[in-house]
Amino acid sequence: MTAPPPTACVPIDHYSAVHVAAETARALARDCALPAPLPDQAAVLASELGSNLAKHAVNGALYVQRTPLGDGVEILAADRGPGMPELGRCLSDGYTTTDTLGAGLGAVGRIATAFTIRSAPSDGTFACARLTPSAPLAADLHGLGAVCLPAAGERLSGDACAVADGPDTRTALVVDGLGHGPPAAEAAQLAVRSFRREPHGPLPDILHAVHRALRHTRGAAVALLRLHPDRAEYCGVGNVRALVVTPDRVHHQLTGQPGVAGLNLPRAHPRQLPMEDGATAVLHTDGLDHRWTRTPPPFLLRLPPPLLVTALAHGHRRTRDDATVLAANRFQRPL
């Protein structure tokens, strides 16, 4: 198994882009072998969210991708204003601020297996509509979000991420192949393949296995995160950043030990990340401008993981580099 294809970003800069987003979502659902009528429903979700951006938003975009555990499709929507001051009414069927039927966001809430949306007048609106074959699969995604974008003009991404759940833990990998383009993508794919062979062992053992798998590549920065019900562990090499976000500030900013997986790996030293109630652990590559942590608005810090990664990718991505961001809460197995 290799890493899923990178996230498709569709800027909604003209109403014709809504059709592009809908076809992108339909094609991805078919590639994921989702049963009928889910591919058509994915197209409807993208069309409704995209139409809302085209009518009302500034600098809006849709991000279409597989869900982080690979069991479905998700459509992420982001804009930079003006926000929805009456969000609750906007989610009701029949409510409209234009001369339309007003079924958009209400339809998204009915069709999606899971739908999350937040809005603030000064910060914009962010939404995540997930479509999976069953509600239990959607429940497994609770508290988890990830976006992986290639550099502008590139089809492949040298970044990748993967997530694996065990009985009591969730383990995540974020990898940044050196450079970008096909050679970096090859390193990232091999790292994901190695991780998926045995994702539940000690983090240093996983890191060493990735290092061995990348010996004949250009190498990569690698970060591993293991989420427990009460804490998180981090282990990494290179400049993938790890941090913890709470509703009031950013804590515990770390980077990996100096070195490159596949070339020179130092002795791995896992570190603990305290995770209080409401905390979110974040991993991101250097395709995301790290300065977002200096004065983040409270609205950003309080977003759930799927919307946090959307907001970070939409607002702080460096388009000349591959960019990946993953966010997760403490792991709680759904009942």
Side-chain angles (χ1 to χ4, degrees), residues 2-266:
T2 57
T7 305
C9 176
V10 184
I12 307 298
D13 50 8
H14 188 271
Y15 207 85
S16 62
V18 176
H19 176 73
V20 174
E23 289 306 309
T24 300
R26 179 184 281 112
L28 179 60
R30 287 172 175 165
D31 287 345
C32 294
L34 294 185
L38 296 189
D40 289 337
Q41 290 178 352
V44 172
L45 292 176
S47 180
E48 296 292 355
L49 290 171
S51 296
N52 200 61
L53 293 175
K55 293 172 187 174
H56 304 294
V58 176
N59 293 328
L62 292 185
Y63 299 87
V64 182
Q65 60 182 18
R66 295 191 183 200
T67 55
L69 291 173
D71 297 317
V73 170
E74 63 184 16
I75 297 98
L76 308 166
D79 65 57
R80 294 178 182 167
M84 297 180 182
E86 297 182 292
L87 181 57
R89 293 182 68 192
C90 293
L91 294 173
S92 301
D93 284 343
Y95 178 78
T96 177
T97 58
T98 60
D99 294 327
T100 65
L101 295 177
L105 292 182
V108 172
R110 289 195 314 275
I111 294 171
T113 317
F115 180 46
T116 307
I117 185 169
R118 300 288 188 276
S119 185
S122 59
D123 299 288
T125 301
F126 303 95
C128 172
R130 284 173 166 161
L131 196 62
T132 59
S134 68
L137 290 175
D140 286 341
L141 295 165
H142 180 72
L144 176 65
V147 170
C148 179
L149 292 160
E154 294 284 352
R155 185 178 60 86
L156 301 174
S157 176
D159 287 2
C161 62
V163 180
D165 284 355
D168 302 303
T169 61
R170 167 170 283 162
T171 306
L173 166 83
V174 169
V175 55
D176 181 357
L178 296 190
H180 53 82
E186 177 192 17
Q189 294 283 335
L190 288 171
V192 169
R193 190 178 302 171
S194 173
F195 168 79
R196 284 182 165 152
R197 288 192 192 105
E198 182 45 69
H200 305 302
L203 296 187
D205 292 353
I206 299 173
L207 185 59
H208 279 279
V210 170
H211 171 66
R212 291 192 296 271
L214 300 188
R215 283 180 297 183
H216 300 295
T217 71
R218 61 170 52 182
V222 177
L224 293 162
L225 178 71
R226 176 157 292 153
L227 296 141
H228 300 263
D230 59 345
R231 70 189 193 283
E233 298 174 76
Y234 163 76
C235 186
V237 58
N239 60 354
V240 177
R241 290 179 173 265
L243 51 98
V244 174
V245 169
T246 59
D248 60 336
R249 63 190 178 100
V250 176
H251 310 251
H252 314 297
Q253 297 190 55
L254 304 171
T255 56
Q257 298 169 251
V260 178
L263 301 179
N264 56 308
L265 184 71

